[in-house]
Amino acid sequence: MQRETKRLLIHVAQKERWEAALTNALDFLKAGKGEEPQAIIVADADSVVRVKACDRKLFDRMKQFVLDGGRVYLCENSLKAFGIAKEGLADYMLTVPAAIMALYDFQKEGWVYVRP
């Protein structure tokens, strides 16, 4: 019997929600050890400003999430709205043209949506 891969999609739409999102994401990956769970974060709206004005603790937790196998996607529309250049982002941050379309596509592929 083939085991189902658990895939978690976390949506961060407010700059204050990064800590909760990363706690959920890291806990999910840790709890699923041996099952190879997958987790991604899609960030849009004003949450993208935290990637530039990020304290060291948050930056380290984001990086740990990626090192543990997670992926962080930022909405290019939101980056543009807040005047943030993609070229200035940390190398582990990915982008999508529009978060709303990415959220739709990931859910259609079977990712379970959570918004902390």
Side-chain angles (χ1 to χ4, degrees):
M1 181 174 183
Q2 189 174 3
R3 191 178 265 185
E4 176 188 356
T5 300
K6 294 178 180 176
R7 299 187 297 175
L8 181 65
L9 165 62
I10 299 175
H11 179 202
V12 182
Q14 298 166 309
K15 61 186 175 189
E16 309 75 33
R17 302 308 299 161
W18 272 107
E19 286 80 6
L22 286 164
T23 296
N24 287 332
L26 289 164
D27 286 351
F28 178 80
L29 292 175
K30 183 179 176 183
K33 289 290 185 208
E35 297 180 56
E36 298 186 35
Q38 298 174 357
I40 55 178
I41 294 174
V42 175
D44 65 350
D46 77 350
S47 71
V48 300
V49 300
R50 289 289 300 279
V51 302
K52 290 303 281 184
C54 183
D55 60 67
R56 188 66 192 188
K57 183 177 178 184
L58 181 62
F59 178 84
D60 288 345
R61 292 189 77 212
M62 280 188 203
K63 192 166 187 172
Q64 187 60 56
F65 170 64
V66 173
L67 290 172
D68 287 352
R71 289 177 284 161
V72 177
Y73 293 94
L74 305 175
C75 175
E76 292 175 14
N77 288 333
S78 296
L79 292 171
K80 287 177 196 168
F82 288 95
I84 301 170
K86 290 192 310 185
E87 298 75 28
L89 299 173
D91 62 351
Y92 62 81
M93 293 184 186
L94 307 169
T95 64
V96 292
I100 191 66
M101 187 59 73
L103 293 168
Y104 173 84
D105 289 340
F106 282 124
Q107 288 178 82
K108 191 169 182 178
E109 293 170 8
W111 291 80
V112 175
Y113 177 92
V114 174
R115 185 168 172 183

